Amino acid sequence: MVIGMCEGCQKSEVARVISALRQRGLEPRIISAGSNVVLGVVEEMSQGLAQELSQEIGALPAVEEINHFGSSWKLASRNFRAETTAIKLGRRTVGDGEVVVMAGPCAVESREAYLDLARKLAPLGAGVLRGGAFKPRTSPYSFRGLGEEGLRIMAEAREITGLPIITEVLRASDVELVARYADVLQIGTRNMQNFALLEAVGDTDKPVMLKRGMMATIKELLLSAEYILARGNWQVILCERGVRTFEPETRNTLDISAVPLLKQHTHLPVLVDPSHAAGKRELVPALARAAVAAGADALMIEVHADPENALSDGRQSLTPAAFAEVMAELSALAGAMGRSLGMAA
Amino acid sequence: MVIGMCEGCQKSEVARVISALRQRGLEPRIISAGSNVVLGVVEEMSQGLAQELSQEIGALPAVEEINHFGSSWKLASRNFRAETTAIKLGRRTVGDGEVVVMAGPCAVESREAYLDLARKLAPLGAGVLRGGAFKPRTSPYSFRGLGEEGLRIMAEAREITGLPIITEVLRASDVELVARYADVLQIGTRNMQNFALLEAVGDTDKPVMLKRGMMATIKELLLSAEYILARGNWQVILCERGVRTFEPETRNTLDISAVPLLKQHTHLPVLVDPSHAAGKRELVPALARAAVAAGADALMIEVHADPENALSDGRQSLTPAAFAEVMAELSALAGAMGRSLGMAA
Amino acid sequence: MVIGMCEGCQKSEVARVISALRQRGLEPRIISAGSNVVLGVVEEMSQGLAQELSQEIGALPAVEEINHFGSSWKLASRNFRAETTAIKLGRRTVGDGEVVVMAGPCAVESREAYLDLARKLAPLGAGVLRGGAFKPRTSPYSFRGLGEEGLRIMAEAREITGLPIITEVLRASDVELVARYADVLQIGTRNMQNFALLEAVGDTDKPVMLKRGMMATIKELLLSAEYILARGNWQVILCERGVRTFEPETRNTLDISAVPLLKQHTHLPVLVDPSHAAGKRELVPALARAAVAAGADALMIEVHADPENALSDGRQSLTPAAFAEVMAELSALAGAMGRSLGMAA
Amino acid sequence: MVIGMCEGCQKSEVARVISALRQRGLEPRIISAGSNVVLGVVEEMSQGLAQELSQEIGALPAVEEINHFGSSWKLASRNFRAETTAIKLGRRTVGDGEVVVMAGPCAVESREAYLDLARKLAPLGAGVLRGGAFKPRTSPYSFRGLGEEGLRIMAEAREITGLPIITEVLRASDVELVARYADVLQIGTRNMQNFALLEAVGDTDKPVMLKRGMMATIKELLLSAEYILARGNWQVILCERGVRTFEPETRNTLDISAVPLLKQHTHLPVLVDPSHAAGKRELVPALARAAVAAGADALMIEVHADPENALSDGRQSLTPAAFAEVMAELSALAGAMGRSLGMAA
């Protein structure tokens, strides 16, 4: 339930509404303060209670409007905020109409290789550098990343290129460490419902990129975002990266419909990861174009200087040269839609 | 196995290859005749036999090249034909680079309504008129279409607008009837593996639009196309229309990756049906744009003059006004990719 | 809507109900005649009309009870018939509490092999012989069965063993031919929504075994059965044979929950095919046991004298010796549930 | 790679094998000590290295046998241990042939209700008491359980009934707390790939029940178990609880084939949770019977004294009376298979 107060209403009038809610055991959140106060109530309530409240509170002169969320997600709902949330990352902003492209290798493998690649990606229009320092692996015997050493290398790449960095955090106990280095905290597909981790990143002031579980519905993705928002961190980017289906030709099936659906349901910006969905580099350009055409706010594309010898995900990584081609195609498409990739002319 | 003969080779040399194949119980097909003879062998063969044949036939001076299909689909393979098959439909051609948009209602409901709508769609850039006369229905008690009366109405719309018409054929025994009226025969998602029906349309000289089963793999779609090609009908358009997944927010999950995958695997042109995939009209524009961006050769979009009162699929149908907007967006996108919607300037 | 008339009511009273229905454009079916007349109305109707009819017809003294189907399937509904439909196949009956096991090879490969196997299966307790004469094949280049020759061989096996035979019919145009030989007509998973074929077998007087589409919901299976029932053929056995999922270790995922769900929703008997679901013979015994434990009325198990050299589905076929072991296990399980496999003591 | 030493071999001979492995950078684990030493190497190795090692080590006189795992799971593999791992829980043992049934409510709601229910379940044959103190909830606004208070209530129920207790642990940071109370630690479906949590329970000496992710493959489940085993905790019970599919009639589709597949692939015991799979209590008896028939070592069944008023999962909970009926059915079935439910006569 969202309660919009009249412009310039008295503090006492707001207090009266809050008091009426507390009498029913509801704790309102102040969504917007100042001259246009908006209160939000996220607790589930019976239809009877909702009607009772609507009548009683709606009758107060200082209350302008009462809206129900009409969905199980609340803070993430478009009914809560009509405007897409804009999240500033370095010189770019995700959610302001521009298409921001994040690029880099699956894992940080060595200092030289990573810095070299970062130097190549910056002039090609990448807005954010990606890289894995802590890698989630299905098998306990696989390469799990360089850890803090990888974070240090990424920070050095940021110094050199001026681009912000995004990397995955796997454990609640690692959040503080990763947040010391990274500009954006990534929650991976296997952790979308790791509620302890969601709350831990919700307690930071860093933007979070939340990947849809490969088995999760749109609704579940929004409810996981809700866990982060409910802790006070509103800078959440939602990521569509493919869902698991019966089709064996792709690693996962990119659910392109998730883009318009999420844009309809939530104010949070939407990023598409065509690389993990496809699992094959030759499909990445078409899927990246589809994502921009469908209205994605951002993309994340895996690039590796030498994909054939990558320690992980080489099969789906583009070379820098192929990445440059994709960026040119995306730029033309974005232009046709009145958008841009934010690349210098 | 595809066997390319040297340019201008003798008939006796071709005969010698054919004879060598027949001795092994293989019956080659003449894929291309004239001065550049190409022979195709579609029977499955053991690796041993394939090697033996490659050595023996490859040693003949008139044989220029031998290729294996490397896939279970043969005639549909890109290794069989490198060029995308172009299929002429009225003044437009599917597969020549232009984006052809087919539009119309789910079912033909009445003469007046259909002709009215057809008159509106033609100037908006529709290249083909769609409409259902025989409707496949999950329940035997649902409206099953007007039958031949519906076909006659569609034919009248063709007279008026000059646009070719596409409609579904449900039964092998109806193929002759439907082919008397329709310019393109549509095979629906439930019939993708109705092999009797595939062979029946394979025996006509009409272009066929083959919809992917809602839980069929890409490979199975190509093998179903193979049934049609194997009967001598090469005019097959493949249609991606969404697959069944666990996500309840969409009727089906549009598998946008199918577009680049099919373009890679086959020379047959690819159409996307965003309406049936989405099941909700508000998603159709984004999915249609994504399809064009991903490289689709054609689109099929449901349009109804009064979607709220449609007898079927109203929830996913656009109004003519919304269709006009989508066409403008698609035209801009296609332009950015060096393609066009073939609309008069 | 099912309308139960009072016991021994007058014909004129039945006529009055029929007339009231016809005035609303509804054509009732006589479900049960004699002294306990039951009428069924399968047409969809608005809630308003349903209420109006309930009041008007319910007020007639000769009307004892009116029930709504509460589901989109009607004739197949448990609300229509409370008793499980019993279908007599030779000396066994599917649906009367006994567990009937159908067994045989995927395809009839040769006369000698088939007759040999049939002679082995009969004393092991098989109740029906299976075998494929017309095989549905994903690829047009695969072995498609012996056709009528295969049917003749099966008929000979029936002569020898006294067991009825079941075989698949692929095309509406083949129904007459197959029905001349077979005791049970099988509709395959790819044809579950081939409505022309469903109607064709619905027009025969032969029992039909309808396989669930590998991509079909329980509801869709019941609506496909409805197509057969609506043509007047009530002898339909529903078959669960696995659905398509993301799990690669099995050919399909046997949906064991379908057994209790179908028993709840419909009066039609339920058969389980563990062989096609598993795709691996080592899983067949466990799945067959699970099916009996879950309440299946019948099973269909693939058996081949020499699975390693079978032309199709050898990987999932049991040897006769393994089949004998499974039968012993199933017999013990059925006994523990107060049922039997109907094998001679 | 598993290396079995000859019976009673010298320590120096074992040391020689270990040394040969370490020279290649491999760190063997001692799987079995005493007079029958078995060494395991879990690191991935190239085929070349594997052959080289087999030849060199296999030539040593004290080496009796070398086996490759032939799978990506190692410690969990049947090739590692041929015998099913038996896990003692109170007076019952999971994995020794008996069927152990765990029962209780979804969440511990109040002391009185839980203790009352526990008193009823014990004489009905329940072997372990279940109950949720920390509940994973898709929405942050749902009831999340009583926390430590719930654990205390469960411990009290153990005192009263003598039955061990199982409860879910959600966060790595909670493992120590939960392990102080619980006899078995449950990892929920959403946490199957929460690797931090897997390692944390792997560091305890408590048996772990690991639920399959609702869209995880069998292979992924085994690799997640591997995370626990690799930390030295070998007491892992694997749980099949249904996978996500397109079928809307059940909450999830119970993958009954997982039972024989897991029994084939691993020595770890297998439990089936029919309640969460079905999501409807009327399906639970049939699914429970199917699980026993398929060979499950244990079951977990939700029971609630008043399902209609349960705070969570009431729809799928049995009443104690219905549970008693299921136990009687299961006992008969188990008996027919030469097994028992371990209930006092």
Side-chain angles (χ1 to χ4, degrees):
Chain A
M1 182 176 276
V2 184
I3 301 156
M5 306 297 295
C6 295
E7 200 175 337
C9 74
Q10 300 293 312
K11 281 201 174 175
S12 62
E13 291 171 311
V14 175
R16 195 167 154 193
V17 172
I18 291 178
S19 158
L21 292 166
R22 286 193 178 148
Q23 277 172 26
R24 269 86 172 190
L26 304 170
E27 186 54 44
R29 289 153 195 261
I30 296 179
I31 295 163
S32 157
S35 59
N36 280 298
V37 173
V38 180
L39 300 172
V41 181
V42 296
E43 284 93 345
E44 298 287 347
M45 58 180 89
S46 69
Q47 231 179 337
L49 176 56
Q51 281 175 3
E52 189 189 312
L53 274 174
S54 290
Q55 282 170 11
E56 181 184 324
I57 297 177
L60 299 177
V63 170
E64 193 174 273
E65 198 180 11
I66 299 187
N67 287 312
H68 291 280
F69 292 110
S71 63
S72 42
W73 53 94
K74 317 287 179 190
L75 307 177
S77 170
R78 273 270 183 216
N79 292 335
F80 202 112
R81 268 193 191 174
E83 291 290 293
T84 294
T85 291
I87 298 174
K88 209 163 157 47
L89 302 178
R91 285 160 300 160
R92 306 286 172 78
T93 302
V94 174
D96 72 346
E98 227 178 47
V99 179
V100 176
V101 181
M102 309 186 182
C106 176
V108 178
E109 295 174 1
S110 78
R111 182 172 172 274
E112 290 64 35
Y114 193 79
L115 299 184
D116 262 15
L117 184 63
R119 283 190 196 97
K120 282 179 186 147
L121 292 174
L124 296 176
V128 178
L129 290 174
R130 68 151 281 154
F134 295 95
K135 300 298 303 169
R137 301 309 297 257
T138 304
S139 164
Y141 311 123
S142 301
F143 172 64
R144 298 208 217 169
L146 297 181
E148 187 168 2
E149 173 62 17
L151 298 176
R152 265 188 234 115
I153 295 169
M154 292 187 73
E156 195 176 343
R158 172 175 50 201
E159 290 307 302
I160 294 170
T161 61
L163 295 178
I165 59 179
I166 178 169
T167 198
E168 181 165 354
V169 56
L170 284 176
R171 297 158 192 258
S173 57
D174 287 344
V175 168
E176 201 198 312
L177 170 70
V178 177
R180 272 211 303 277
Y181 292 93
D183 300 291
V184 190
L185 302 174
Q186 176 177 324
I187 303 293
T189 188
R190 289 170 190 79
N191 278 321
M192 192 200 83
Q193 293 190 318
N194 181 337
F195 303 122
L197 184 57
L198 297 179
E199 293 185 347
V201 299
D203 287 339
T204 72
D205 60 356
K206 294 282 181 176
V208 175
M209 194 268 265
L210 175 64
K211 286 195 154 188
R212 180 180 183 183
M214 67 183 85
M215 64 199 90
T217 62
I218 299 281
K219 179 179 166 184
E220 288 167 344
L221 173 60
L222 288 166
L223 285 169
S224 284
E226 198 79 13
Y227 266 89
I228 304 173
L229 302 181
R231 302 294 278 215
N233 186 348
W234 285 76
Q235 300 185 83
V236 177
I237 302 167
L238 300 174
C239 170
E240 162 61 33
R241 45 76 70 212
V243 293
R244 198 163 252 187
T245 69
F246 60 87
E247 174 60 59
E249 289 259 341
T250 38
R251 182 165 165 174
N252 288 116
T253 297
L254 184 70
D255 181 6
I256 193 74
S257 313
V259 179
L261 272 169
L262 286 171
K263 301 300 287 180
Q264 180 181 9
H265 287 330
T266 182
H267 54 82
L268 297 173
V270 177
L271 176 149
V272 170
D273 173 351
S275 305
H276 281 85
K280 292 178 176 175
R281 81 177 62 91
E282 60 269 31
L283 303 182
V284 170
L287 297 186
R289 294 192 310 260
V292 169
D297 297 290
L299 291 175
M300 175 173 272
I301 297 178
E302 286 198 354
V303 187
H304 194 283
D306 180 13
E308 302 304 335
N309 293 306
L311 290 185
S312 54
D313 286 351
R315 182 71 188 81
Q316 73 200 28
S317 296
L318 299 181
T319 60
F323 177 70
E325 273 181 55
V326 171
M327 290 298 277
E329 290 176 6
L330 297 182
S331 187
L333 272 189
M337 298 174 74
R339 303 175 66 192
S340 94
L341 259 59
M343 297 157 72
Chain B
M1 182 176 275
V2 184
I3 301 156
M5 305 296 296
C6 294
E7 200 176 335
C9 74
Q10 301 293 313
K11 280 202 175 173
S12 62
E13 291 171 310
V14 176
R16 193 166 156 195
V17 172
I18 291 177
S19 156
L21 292 166
R22 286 192 178 149
Q23 278 172 26
R24 268 87 174 190
L26 304 170
E27 187 55 46
R29 288 152 195 261
I30 295 179
I31 295 163
S32 158
S35 60
N36 278 298
V37 173
V38 180
L39 300 172
V41 181
V42 297
E43 284 93 344
E44 298 287 347
M45 58 180 87
S46 69
Q47 230 179 339
L49 176 56
Q51 281 175 3
E52 189 189 311
L53 274 175
S54 291
Q55 281 171 12
E56 182 183 324
I57 298 176
L60 299 177
V63 170
E64 192 173 274
E65 200 179 9
I66 298 186
N67 286 314
H68 291 282
F69 292 110
S71 62
S72 42
W73 52 95
K74 317 286 179 193
L75 307 177
S77 170
R78 272 270 183 217
N79 292 335
F80 202 111
R81 267 194 192 174
E83 291 290 294
T84 295
T85 291
I87 298 174
K88 212 163 156 43
L89 303 177
R91 284 161 300 160
R92 305 286 171 79
T93 302
V94 174
D96 72 346
E98 227 178 47
V99 180
V100 176
V101 181
M102 311 187 181
C106 176
V108 178
E109 296 173 359
S110 77
R111 182 172 171 275
E112 290 64 35
Y114 193 78
L115 299 184
D116 262 15
L117 184 64
R119 282 189 196 96
K120 282 180 185 144
L121 292 174
L124 295 176
V128 178
L129 291 174
R130 67 151 282 153
F134 296 95
K135 300 298 304 170
R137 302 309 297 256
T138 304
S139 164
Y141 311 123
S142 302
F143 171 64
R144 299 209 215 168
L146 297 181
E148 186 167 4
E149 172 61 17
L151 297 176
R152 264 188 234 113
I153 295 169
M154 292 188 72
E156 196 176 343
R158 172 175 49 203
E159 289 308 302
I160 294 169
T161 61
L163 295 179
I165 58 178
I166 178 170
T167 198
E168 182 166 352
V169 56
L170 284 175
R171 296 158 192 258
S173 56
D174 287 344
V175 168
E176 202 198 312
L177 170 69
V178 177
R180 273 210 303 277
Y181 293 93
D183 300 292
V184 191
L185 303 173
Q186 177 177 323
I187 303 293
T189 188
R190 289 170 191 78
N191 277 321
M192 192 199 84
Q193 293 190 318
N194 180 337
F195 303 122
L197 182 58
L198 297 179
E199 293 184 348
V201 298
D203 288 338
T204 72
D205 59 357
K206 294 282 182 177
V208 175
M209 195 267 267
L210 175 65
K211 284 195 156 189
R212 181 180 181 182
M214 68 185 83
M215 217 154 170
T217 62
I218 299 279
K219 180 178 166 184
E220 288 167 345
L221 172 60
L222 288 166
L223 285 169
S224 284
E226 198 79 13
Y227 265 89
I228 304 173
L229 302 181
R231 301 295 277 216
N233 187 346
W234 286 75
Q235 299 185 85
V236 177
I237 302 167
L238 300 174
C239 170
E240 162 60 34
R241 46 77 70 213
V243 293
R244 199 163 250 188
T245 70
F246 59 87
E247 173 60 58
E249 289 259 342
T250 39
R251 182 165 165 171
N252 288 116
T253 296
L254 184 72
D255 182 5
I256 193 73
S257 313
V259 178
L261 272 169
L262 286 170
K263 301 300 288 178
Q264 181 181 7
H265 287 328
T266 181
H267 54 82
L268 297 173
V270 177
L271 176 148
V272 169
D273 173 350
S275 307
H276 280 86
K280 293 178 177 175
R281 82 176 62 90
E282 61 269 31
L283 303 183
V284 170
L287 297 186
R289 293 192 311 260
V292 169
D297 297 291
L299 291 175
M300 173 172 275
I301 296 177
E302 287 198 354
V303 187
H304 194 282
D306 181 12
E308 301 305 334
N309 293 306
L311 290 185
S312 55
D313 286 351
R315 183 68 190 83
Q316 72 200 28
S317 296
L318 298 181
T319 59
F323 177 69
E325 273 181 55
V326 171
M327 291 297 278
E329 289 177 7
L330 298 181
S331 186
L333 271 189
M337 299 173 74
R339 306 175 64 191
S340 94
L341 259 58
M343 297 157 72
Chain C
M1 182 175 276
V2 183
I3 300 157
M5 305 296 295
C6 293
E7 200 177 334
C9 72
Q10 301 293 314
K11 280 203 176 171
S12 63
E13 291 171 309
V14 175
R16 194 165 155 197
V17 173
I18 292 179
S19 157
L21 293 166
R22 286 195 178 145
Q23 277 171 28
R24 270 85 172 193
L26 303 170
E27 186 54 43
R29 290 153 194 259
I30 295 178
I31 295 165
S32 158
S35 60
N36 280 297
V37 174
V38 180
L39 300 173
V41 181
V42 296
E43 284 93 345
E44 298 285 348
M45 57 180 86
S46 69
Q47 231 179 334
L49 176 55
Q51 281 176 2
E52 190 189 311
L53 274 174
S54 291
Q55 282 171 11
E56 183 184 323
I57 297 177
L60 299 177
V63 170
E64 191 174 275
E65 198 180 11
I66 298 187
N67 287 313
H68 290 281
F69 291 110
S71 62
S72 42
W73 53 95
K74 316 286 180 195
L75 306 178
S77 170
R78 272 269 183 217
N79 292 335
F80 202 111
R81 268 195 192 173
E83 290 290 294
T84 294
T85 292
I87 299 174
K88 211 165 155 44
L89 302 178
R91 284 161 299 159
R92 307 285 172 80
T93 302
V94 174
D96 70 348
E98 225 178 49
V99 180
V100 177
V101 180
M102 310 187 181
C106 176
V108 178
E109 297 174 0
S110 77
R111 183 174 170 275
E112 288 65 32
Y114 194 78
L115 299 184
D116 262 14
L117 184 63
R119 281 190 197 96
K120 283 180 185 148
L121 292 174
L124 295 176
V128 179
L129 291 175
R130 65 152 285 154
F134 296 94
K135 301 299 303 169
R137 302 308 298 254
T138 304
S139 164
Y141 310 124
S142 301
F143 171 64
R144 297 208 217 169
L146 296 181
E148 189 170 1
E149 173 61 17
L151 297 176
R152 263 187 235 113
I153 295 169
M154 291 187 73
E156 196 175 343
R158 173 176 47 203
E159 290 307 304
I160 294 170
T161 62
L163 295 178
I165 57 178
I166 178 169
T167 197
E168 181 166 353
V169 55
L170 284 175
R171 297 157 192 258
S173 56
D174 288 345
V175 168
E176 203 199 311
L177 170 69
V178 177
R180 271 210 303 277
Y181 292 92
D183 300 291
V184 190
L185 302 174
Q186 175 176 323
I187 303 293
T189 189
R190 290 170 190 79
N191 277 322
M192 192 200 82
Q193 293 191 317
N194 181 338
F195 303 121
L197 182 59
L198 296 179
E199 293 184 348
V201 298
D203 288 339
T204 71
D205 59 357
K206 294 281 181 178
V208 176
M209 194 269 267
L210 175 64
K211 286 195 152 188
R212 180 180 182 183
M214 69 184 82
M215 64 199 90
T217 62
I218 300 280
K219 180 179 166 183
E220 288 166 346
L221 172 60
L222 288 166
L223 285 169
S224 283
E226 198 77 15
Y227 267 90
I228 303 172
L229 302 180
R231 302 295 276 216
N233 186 347
W234 286 76
Q235 299 184 84
V236 177
I237 301 166
L238 300 175
C239 169
E240 163 59 35
R241 44 78 69 215
V243 294
R244 198 163 251 187
T245 68
F246 60 88
E247 174 59 60
E249 289 259 340
T250 39
R251 183 165 164 174
N252 287 118
T253 296
L254 183 71
D255 182 5
I256 192 74
S257 314
V259 178
L261 273 168
L262 287 170
K263 300 301 287 178
Q264 181 181 10
H265 287 329
T266 182
H267 54 81
L268 297 173
V270 177
L271 176 149
V272 169
D273 173 351
S275 307
H276 280 85
K280 292 178 178 175
R281 84 176 60 91
E282 62 269 31
L283 304 182
V284 169
L287 297 186
R289 292 192 312 259
V292 169
D297 297 289
L299 291 175
M300 174 173 272
I301 296 178
E302 287 199 356
V303 186
H304 194 282
D306 180 12
E308 301 305 333
N309 292 307
L311 290 184
S312 54
D313 286 350
R315 182 72 187 82
Q316 73 200 29
S317 297
L318 298 181
T319 59
F323 177 69
E325 274 181 55
V326 172
M327 291 298 278
E329 290 177 4
L330 298 181
S331 187
L333 272 188
M337 300 174 73
R339 305 176 65 192
S340 93
L341 259 60
M343 295 159 72
Chain D
M1 181 174 276
V2 184
I3 301 157
M5 305 297 293
C6 295
E7 198 176 337
C9 72
Q10 301 293 313
K11 280 203 175 173
S12 63
E13 291 170 310
V14 176
R16 193 166 155 194
V17 172
I18 292 178
S19 156
L21 293 166
R22 287 194 177 145
Q23 278 173 27
R24 269 85 173 193
L26 304 170
E27 187 54 44
R29 288 154 196 260
I30 295 178
I31 295 165
S32 159
S35 61
N36 280 298
V37 174
V38 181
L39 300 173
V41 181
V42 296
E43 284 94 343
E44 298 285 348
M45 58 180 88
S46 70
Q47 231 179 336
L49 176 55
Q51 281 176 2
E52 190 188 312
L53 275 174
S54 291
Q55 282 170 12
E56 183 183 324
I57 295 177
L60 299 177
V63 171
E64 191 175 277
E65 199 180 10
I66 298 185
N67 287 313
H68 290 281
F69 293 109
S71 63
S72 41
W73 52 94
K74 316 286 178 193
L75 306 177
S77 170
R78 272 270 184 216
N79 293 336
F80 201 110
R81 269 195 190 173
E83 290 291 295
T84 295
T85 291
I87 299 175
K88 211 165 157 43
L89 302 178
R91 285 162 299 158
R92 307 286 171 80
T93 302
V94 174
D96 71 347
E98 227 179 49
V99 180
V100 177
V101 180
M102 310 188 182
C106 176
V108 178
E109 296 174 1
S110 77
R111 183 172 170 276
E112 288 64 33
Y114 194 78
L115 298 184
D116 262 14
L117 184 63
R119 281 191 197 96
K120 283 182 185 144
L121 291 174
L124 295 176
V128 179
L129 291 175
R130 66 151 284 153
F134 296 95
K135 300 298 305 169
R137 302 309 299 254
T138 305
S139 163
Y141 310 124
S142 302
F143 172 63
R144 298 208 216 168
L146 297 181
E148 187 169 3
E149 173 61 17
L151 297 176
R152 264 188 235 112
I153 295 168
M154 292 188 71
E156 198 177 340
R158 173 177 47 203
E159 291 307 303
I160 294 170
T161 61
L163 296 178
I165 58 178
I166 178 169
T167 197
E168 181 166 353
V169 56
L170 284 175
R171 297 158 193 256
S173 57
D174 288 344
V175 168
E176 202 198 312
L177 171 69
V178 177
R180 271 210 303 278
Y181 293 91
D183 300 293
V184 191
L185 303 174
Q186 176 177 324
I187 303 292
T189 189
R190 290 169 188 80
N191 277 322
M192 192 198 84
Q193 293 190 317
N194 181 338
F195 303 121
L197 183 58
L198 297 179
E199 293 184 347
V201 298
D203 288 339
T204 72
D205 59 358
K206 294 280 181 178
V208 175
M209 194 267 267
L210 175 64
K211 286 195 153 187
R212 181 180 181 183
M214 67 184 84
M215 215 156 172
T217 61
I218 300 280
K219 180 179 166 183
E220 288 167 346
L221 172 60
L222 288 166
L223 285 169
S224 283
E226 198 78 14
Y227 266 90
I228 304 172
L229 302 181
R231 302 295 277 217
N233 186 347
W234 285 76
Q235 299 185 84
V236 177
I237 302 166
L238 301 174
C239 170
E240 162 60 34
R241 44 79 68 213
V243 293
R244 199 163 249 187
T245 70
F246 60 86
E247 173 59 59
E249 290 259 342
T250 38
R251 181 164 164 175
N252 287 117
T253 297
L254 184 71
D255 182 6
I256 193 72
S257 314
V259 179
L261 272 168
L262 286 171
K263 301 299 289 177
Q264 181 181 9
H265 287 329
T266 182
H267 54 82
L268 297 172
V270 177
L271 177 150
V272 169
D273 173 351
S275 307
H276 281 86
K280 293 177 177 175
R281 83 177 61 90
E282 60 269 31
L283 304 182
V284 170
L287 297 186
R289 293 192 310 259
V292 169
D297 297 290
L299 291 176
M300 174 173 272
I301 297 179
E302 287 198 354
V303 186
H304 195 281
D306 180 12
E308 301 305 333
N309 293 306
L311 290 183
S312 54
D313 286 351
R315 182 71 187 83
Q316 73 201 28
S317 295
L318 298 182
T319 59
F323 177 68
E325 274 182 53
V326 171
M327 290 298 278
E329 290 176 7
L330 297 182
S331 187
L333 272 189
M337 299 174 75
R339 304 175 65 191
S340 93
L341 258 59
M343 296 157 73

